[in-house]
Structure formats: C-alpha cells, structure tokens
Amino acid sequence: MGSGWHEWPLMIFTVLGQCVAGGFIVMALALLGGISERPLRKRVQWAMIVLWVLMGIGFMASVLHLGSPLRAFNSLNRIGDSALSNEIASGSVFFAAGGFWWLITVMGKMPAVLGKLWMILTMVLGVFFVWMMCRVYLIDTVPTWYSAYTPLGFFLTMFIGGPLLGYLLLRAAGVTGWGMRILPVITLIALVASTVVVLLQGMELATIHSSIQQASALIPQYGTLMSWRLALLVVALACWVVPQLKGSQPNVGLLTFAFMLVLAGELIGRGVFYGLHMTVGMAIAS
C-alpha cells in the first residue's frame, strides 16, 4: 500500500504533458483567431517557449523512469503493438512538430498559411498524445485503472491545467482580449467534473477486489489526499478569478502561483492514481 509517489517521474511526465497539450491549444487558438497585431503575435510566439521547456522537463522525467537514459530508445521498439511505444512516439511527434513550428515561426521563416495548418495539426497531435497516455493504463488485468475514470482523469487534467497555463503565457505576452474570459469557465467546469469523478471513483473502489486485495485498502488516505487536491485547485481558481470579478486582470505573478497550485494538486491526484495499481488474481508482495 502506498500513495504512488515512487512513480514520480511518470507523475511529472503525464501531468506536464497534459497541461502543455492544453496550453498549446489555447495559445494556438488565440493566434489563429484573435490576435492580429504583429508585435503582439511575436510576443505570444516567444512566450510559447515555456510550453516546450515544460515538455522537455516532462520527457527528461520519463527517461528517469527507465532507470538508464540509454534505454529510452528501446521504448520505441514496438510502435503500433505496444501502448507504451505508442505513447512515447506520439509525445515525441507532438513535441517535435510543436517545437519545429515554434522555431521556424520565431525566426520569421514560416509562411502564414502553412503556419496555420501546422498549428492545427499540432493541436490534433496534442490531443492524440493525451489519448495515447490513457491507452497505456487501460489494462484489463488492472481493474482500478481499466475504467472510464482513467481517460476522464487524464483529459480533465488537460482541461484544468491547460487553460490556466495558456492564460498565464498570454497575459505574460500582454494579451487582454475578452475571449480569455472563457478560459476560467472551462477550468471551472473541468474542476466540477473532476470532483464528481473523485466521488464516484471513491465509491467504486469498495466494489473492486482481487482474491487477496481490496482496492479501497490500497490508499486508505484516498479521501484526505483527494480533498487536498481539490482544495489546491479551488484556491488556484480563486487566484485566477477573484481579480477579474473585481474588475482587474490577475498579474503574471499571481497566475504563476495559481499554476503551481494546479501542478501540486494534479500531482497529488496522479500519485493516488499510481498508488491504486493492483492486479486480478493472486499477487506476491515484494
């Protein structure tokens, strides 16, 4: 029994990957539809480097999970047959497509039409990457993961952290458009949905068991940990929304703090997810 913290490289990789995918979609949509001034577009494009830095940190963490960096390429040996290989491949393609688009764009070498098509393709690749993450854990011999709660949890992280990350970087670039008011609403809806998922999953754990294990006993602190997670997310949302209710825009420092709270909350939730690993049938404790 444990809280899953021993899987911290995967926790960092999955949470950052999902937040970056969501953040890229937000910023790409802003560039596609709402920002026409050239200097402002340039600032937004430069701000997007943060996405690729975070994605790089996520991939470095995933390599640590393999024990040796030299094993990283082995994870691509079974593309098409292995969910793990598909996850790493899809993430690498998303990272490469977005990174090359960003580099060529900030250098001023990207044709306008091609740049728009490239952004749309990268958004699709980001969503596909998150789905490939889900597929890794949909294992029929792990009943605590083999359910709709796994993809729901992963995509809700994208909808909780992505809009805030995108908003933070857009604000850092000086964007103040009215369309940005939609982003906190998206995160609020995702937070409500996530709360419902936590409650439903908590009740379902009592019905899952193997011949020697009860799922609800894997993490006795499930309720406490998830309460802390939701509390951090609520405080983050308050930091984001309260200044707007008062008629002002939250500053970059406050938004950065809010995003750090979101990361902390989602890492707690992901630790619980990994801690719920169990297999059907008999098991031998190590």
Side-chain angles (χ1 to χ4, degrees):
M1 294 184 294
S3 60
W5 292 104
H6 60 287
E7 298 287 7
W8 65 267
L10 292 179
M11 291 163 54
I12 293 173
F13 173 64
T14 55
V15 169
L16 286 182
Q18 290 150 21
C19 288
V20 168
F24 180 84
I25 291 173
V26 167
M27 300 190 76
L29 288 175
L31 289 170
L32 287 169
I35 302 175
S36 56
E37 300 87 351
R38 183 176 176 82
L40 187 55
R41 289 182 66 88
K42 272 294 185 185
R43 290 199 297 272
V44 171
Q45 290 161 359
W46 273 107
M48 293 176 83
I49 191 175
V50 175
L51 297 176
W52 311 123
V53 170
L54 292 176
M55 196 71 249
I57 293 172
F59 267 103
M60 285 190 289
S62 72
V63 169
L64 293 176
H65 173 71
L66 300 175
S68 169
L70 297 177
R71 298 179 184 175
F73 292 106
N74 293 335
S75 64
L76 297 172
N77 285 345
R78 299 184 63 228
I79 294 175
D81 296 321
S82 164
L84 175 62
S85 295
N86 293 340
E87 175 196 36
I88 299 301
S90 62
S92 299
V93 171
F94 167 64
F95 192 8
F100 279 120
W101 169 85
W102 176 82
L103 181 61
I104 297 172
T105 299
V106 297
M107 290 174 60
K109 305 296 184 181
M110 177 67 75
V113 175
L114 178 60
K116 290 180 179 179
L117 294 174
W118 201 325
M119 274 193 288
I120 293 171
L121 174 61
T122 305
M123 285 191 285
V124 173
L125 290 172
V127 174
F128 184 69
F129 172 41
V130 176
W131 173 240
M132 287 296 102
M133 283 188 194
C134 301
R135 293 291 302 274
V136 172
Y137 302 100
L138 292 175
I139 307 168
D140 56 6
T141 56
V142 184
T144 45
W145 290 354
Y146 193 64
S147 73
Y149 296 123
T150 293
L152 277 173
F154 281 27
F155 276 99
L156 284 172
T157 295
M158 185 178 79
F159 282 107
I160 290 172
L164 177 54
L165 178 58
Y167 189 103
L168 164 61
L169 297 180
L170 289 172
R171 280 287 294 134
V175 178
T176 57
W178 66 268
M180 292 175 66
R181 297 178 184 176
I182 300 172
L183 298 177
V185 177
I186 294 173
T187 292
L188 174 60
I189 294 172
L191 178 54
V192 171
S194 185
T195 303
V196 173
V197 167
V198 168
L199 293 174
L200 292 177
Q201 186 176 31
M203 290 187 291
E204 185 178 281
L205 290 177
T207 68
I208 299 174
H209 61 86
S210 68
S211 57
I212 62 171
Q213 243 179 347
Q214 185 76 32
S216 58
L218 292 170
I219 301 185
Q221 313 88 356
Y222 177 88
T224 301
L225 289 171
M226 284 306 198
S227 295
W228 275 107
R229 170 183 174 252
L230 294 174
L232 289 171
L233 297 180
V234 168
V235 173
L237 188 61
C239 292
W240 188 7
V241 172
V242 169
Q244 297 181 67
L245 296 177
K246 295 181 178 179
S248 61
Q249 291 288 332
N251 60 50
V252 173
L254 186 59
L255 289 170
T256 301
F257 176 66
F259 183 64
M260 296 303 294
L261 291 177
V262 166
L263 286 181
E266 289 307 283
L267 286 172
I268 290 174
R270 199 54 46 83
V272 170
F273 171 80
Y274 285 112
L276 287 174
H277 177 270
M278 67 177 288
T279 56
V280 297
M282 297 294 291
I284 301 175
S286 59

